[in-house]
Amino acid sequence: MRTHYPRTPHLPWSPGATSDDVRTTGPGMLAGFAGREVVVTEKLDGENTTLYTDGLHARSLDSGHHPSRAWVKALQSRIGPGIPAGWRVCGENVYARHSLAYGELDAWFYGFSVWDGDHCLDWDRTVLFLRGLGVPGPRVLWRGVFDERALRRLRLDTARQEGYVVRTTAGFERADFGRCVAKWVRGGHVQTDTHWMYAQVVVNGLGPAAALWDARSGADPDTAGLLRAVGADPAVEAAGVEAAAVEDLVAEVADRIDGLSVRRSGEDRLAGVLAAALHGVPRAALASRLASGPLGMATARRVADLVGLHPALRKPFPYPDTERRAGLVRMAEAADLGVLHALAGAVSGPGGPVGSPGSGEGGEQGDGAGECVEWSALHAEEAGLLGPAPLDPLRAGLREALAAAGIGGDDDAADRCWAEARHAFGQGRLTGAEEAVAATWRWRDGAAFPRLVQLCGPSGSGKSTYARDLPGVEAYISLDDLRGARGSRADQRDNADVLREGLDRLDAALASAARRGGTVVWDATSLTARQRGLAGTVARRRDALVTHAVLLVEEAELMRRNSTRAHPVPEQVLTSQLRRFAPPYPGEAHRTWYVGAGGAVEDTAGTIAEPVRATARTAACTSARTTTRGEG
């Protein structure tokens, strides 16, 4: 069934309203917004277009062919299978220039609403669903509880922007559209003598991010464009990788991901092709570099984890096969195993790895690398781990059960239960939520165990500043402070003694915190698994909930910060730290917090809260028809 997009009423102060436009004038016409959260997005100058699983149309249901619609038709053919039957995606086709010329678009189609029949999804689910398809949304200009004065104060560059649209963040029914959506349009917004449909097509320009959205939407990856978009082309050049070999590998990985039995989200596909392009770059440098760019922390971390984990699949498993399931479950918390095996299989192909042998991330091409990957994939498939988000049903079931038991409000207790259930699931000791509930009873009382927050990151990454703002900290153990008490924070000669003293203090602090469920912070660089393991051993002895707080800051920013610190470390020491830094993978601790250069947690792993993944599947399954730090 095809449905035309409703006419959007103009706000009372919209200067672009004409005599035949719908307006929100009159008593109570803005009542649908009163007291409700709204989001204001930029209105784009294009052609209203609706996409379905099996086709598309412009505003008119019988819209015919036009050259400006060819690209969006190709887009629909790629993303259509990801749109459920009965759903539709409404947006703006901005391929052709109308009145405004665009030069830095993310794509030639922007989605602004998603409909399940006559129900419009809430805004957050809309963004999630669109990103899963590989479709960008319009720029958000303002969000908050409706405030007419704030909206009237919005100032647009009318030479470059057509206007804005305001809608409720909550979902709504089609019958309520006029009460939940309105627009402001610049005066004289049609500024051409000839209607755009009868003029020569002038194509709007794309910006660097277009390569990312193309890859998300299923287009053939533009390897050079992807590397430019994330600012990683110098890193690839430094790794000594041949461009032609990388392009071939990226294309093969994309084909393998597209061939998986269950469709992957646009973000999963993008992560896989970027990992292929960057698989020769050291993981720690890659994570911090990508996190500071347009990908954001969540995708940056996943790309880096794919790069770091795939060599393990190309080598013989060093433990009995009975332990392989546990390892795969830990990997599944860090990466999509279908994408990970696609990457490992492509790298293990006839051409072998194309990364620099000295990168430390490319692995070795030993005999049978491809067979190792295939064998691992068989184990993952047998364990039910090869599909997207295989742990989510267990996580969701345990979360619901704990909430019903009144445990859901204690995040620490719920996260601990999830970590223990995940561990037992990996060992094959439980298979479903009911068993997980029974197996985790001893950790439901959050006051029954202490918490350890273990900071991980080079000098200057912001560890101390971040941790000193954490609430409820009973003890703070800093190796730098212990060195300072001995005379100098920079004196590394007594490191062994300082470490022993620190570990003794940690043990005593956790023993004391265990009586109240208190929190202890371990402030050290914790660059490697071995270094982290020392404090981890003490934490296990005290049955502590362990959180890794991983600070990912780009090298140039670390160098700048170090030069302005009160206690700078020698440049060669910081360089050595960066070379040795191997950030922990999800699963090495009960949970992981990823902290960006701004000092805020930007991504998590191992928490029981629903992961924020850009998947059309997640949005479709949960679209209920209800309203729903510095330097240190």
Side-chain angles (χ1 to χ4, degrees):
M1 178 181 174
R2 300 298 194 244
T3 307
H4 71 82
Y5 191 76
R7 297 183 69 189
T8 305
H10 283 256
L11 290 162
W13 58 92
S14 171
T18 61
S19 58
D20 62 342
D21 280 326
V22 181
R23 299 166 180 259
T24 54
T25 56
M29 290 304 291
L30 295 177
F33 297 126
R36 304 180 69 186
E37 185 185 32
V38 301
V39 61
V40 180
T41 58
E42 181 177 352
K43 183 182 185 304
L44 293 166
D45 183 23
E47 182 180 37
N48 184 286
T49 302
T50 301
L51 310 183
Y52 303 83
T53 186
D54 57 353
L56 79 163
H57 59 76
R59 181 174 288 279
S60 172
L61 300 187
D62 58 356
S63 50
H65 173 72
H66 189 271
S68 67
R69 296 169 183 160
W71 184 88
V72 77
K73 287 181 179 179
L75 173 69
Q76 186 281 327
S77 70
R78 298 196 302 269
I79 69 173
I83 303 175
W87 284 47
R88 61 189 182 277
V89 173
C90 299
E92 203 80 2
N93 174 12
V94 287
Y95 180 86
R97 183 182 302 173
H98 292 197
S99 297
L100 293 177
Y102 295 112
E104 292 284 321
L105 294 170
D106 290 342
W108 283 313
F109 180 80
Y110 284 75
F112 50 67
S113 67
V114 178
W115 296 76
D116 176 3
D118 283 339
H119 177 76
C120 182
L121 269 60
D122 68 79
W123 177 251
D124 292 328
R125 286 293 173 190
T126 294
V127 173
L128 185 70
F129 183 86
L130 291 172
R131 196 173 184 90
L133 289 178
V135 173
R139 188 159 63 100
V140 173
L141 305 177
W142 190 85
R143 180 169 178 166
V145 176
F146 180 73
D147 182 342
E148 182 177 333
R149 288 177 297 179
L151 267 60
R152 285 179 179 269
R153 286 195 297 266
L154 288 175
R155 293 293 178 262
L156 274 62
D157 179 356
T158 55
R160 303 174 59 187
Q161 296 172 294
E162 185 176 60
Y164 60 79
V165 176
V166 55
R167 62 155 285 178
T168 59
T169 55
F172 53 85
E173 300 304 311
R174 180 179 169 85
D176 295 324
F177 182 90
R179 292 169 47 82
C180 298
V181 185
K183 65 184 177 183
W184 180 95
V185 179
R186 64 191 179 126
H189 59 282
V190 178
Q191 298 180 351
T192 55
D193 295 331
T194 305
H195 192 280
W196 66 269
M197 286 196 69
Y198 305 109
Q200 180 180 355
V201 173
V202 178
V203 180
N204 282 312
L206 296 173
L212 304 176
W213 286 104
D214 274 352
R216 289 183 179 107
S217 70
D220 292 338
D222 171 8
T223 303
L226 288 168
L227 294 176
R228 283 194 301 272
V230 298
D233 32 355
V236 174
E237 291 175 8
V241 181
E242 294 182 9
V246 172
E247 288 178 3
D248 290 343
L249 180 64
V250 167
E252 182 176 350
V253 169
D255 287 343
R256 286 174 178 251
I257 294 172
D258 294 342
L260 293 172
S261 59
V262 179
R263 178 186 173 89
R264 285 331 197 245
S265 75
E267 210 66 19
D268 289 334
R269 187 178 193 266
L270 175 63
V273 299
L274 280 174
L278 297 164
H279 82 285
V281 179
R283 170 174 165 256
L286 183 61
S288 58
R289 178 187 291 266
L290 295 181
S292 65
L295 293 181
M297 180 67 77
T299 301
R301 189 266 295 177
R302 285 163 176 79
V303 172
D305 285 350
L306 287 168
V307 167
L309 288 170
H310 84 271
L313 301 184
R314 306 198 332 264
K315 302 174 185 177
F317 188 64
Y319 306 105
D321 271 350
T322 53
E323 298 182 27
R324 190 186 291 264
R325 174 189 170 96
L328 289 170
V329 168
R330 285 194 297 273
M331 282 187 174
E333 186 67 22
D336 181 307
L337 293 192
V339 175
L340 181 64
H341 283 84
L343 173 64
V347 174
S348 301
V354 299
S356 165
S359 70
E361 302 288 345
E364 298 81 20
Q365 186 189 8
D367 292 338
E371 287 82 354
C372 289
V373 176
E374 292 175 5
W375 189 242
S376 174
L378 287 173
H379 278 273
E381 186 174 25
E382 182 181 4
L385 299 171
L386 212 53
L391 302 180
D392 276 6
L394 180 64
R395 186 198 320 257
L398 180 60
R399 181 172 62 243
E400 292 170 7
L402 292 177
I407 311 298
D410 186 340
D411 292 343
D412 290 342
D415 286 349
R416 181 66 187 271
C417 289
W418 167 235
E420 300 296 343
R422 194 172 64 241
H423 178 68
F425 179 75
Q427 293 183 324
R429 292 189 284 112
L430 61 84
T431 58
E434 277 191 25
E435 295 167 293
V437 171
T440 57
W441 62 270
R442 59 174 288 202
W443 294 286
R444 294 183 197 173
D445 180 4
F449 54 84
R451 285 89 162 138
L452 171 64
V453 177
Q454 185 173 13
L455 306 175
C456 311
S459 300
S461 55
K463 299 185 299 296
S464 302
T465 303
Y466 167 74
R468 292 192 190 279
D469 287 338
L470 289 173
V473 174
E474 293 191 3
Y476 190 99
I477 300 166
S478 165
L479 297 191
D480 278 349
D481 289 348
L482 294 180
R483 290 189 195 95
R486 291 169 175 253
S488 172
R489 291 164 58 98
D491 190 346
Q492 306 284 321
R493 290 174 299 177
D494 295 330
N495 271 354
D497 290 339
V498 168
L499 179 60
R500 275 193 292 272
E501 180 184 354
L503 292 174
D504 288 344
R505 292 191 179 200
L506 176 63
D507 187 60
L510 288 174
S512 175
R515 305 187 188 104
R516 298 167 297 280
T519 298
V520 178
V521 172
W522 176 257
D523 185 355
T525 55
S526 300
L527 299 174
T528 65
R530 181 180 177 278
Q531 291 175 347
R532 292 187 289 272
L534 297 172
T537 298
V538 176
R540 282 192 297 275
R541 186 163 63 240
R542 294 299 179 183
D543 192 32
L545 167 68
V546 180
T547 303
H548 283 159
V550 184
L551 290 96
L552 296 174
V553 181
E554 199 171 5
E555 180 176 354
E557 175 63 11
L558 287 174
M559 293 296 185
R560 185 198 67 77
R561 292 182 181 185
N562 189 52
S563 67
T564 62
R565 296 179 78 194
H567 304 283
V569 300
E571 184 174 333
Q572 65 271 22
V573 172
L574 181 54
T575 300
S576 174
Q577 289 181 5
L578 291 170
R579 187 175 62 251
R580 291 181 290 122
F581 186 31
Y585 289 102
E588 288 186 26
H590 294 115
R591 62 186 179 186
T592 310
W593 298 337
Y594 295 90
V595 182
V601 175
E602 298 177 7
D603 187 32
T604 62
T607 60
I608 199 168
E610 181 181 356
V612 179
R613 292 193 183 92
T615 62
R617 177 182 301 273
T618 300
C621 291
T622 57
S623 65
R625 294 173 180 259
T626 57
T627 344
T628 57
R629 264 162 24 148
E631 301 165 19

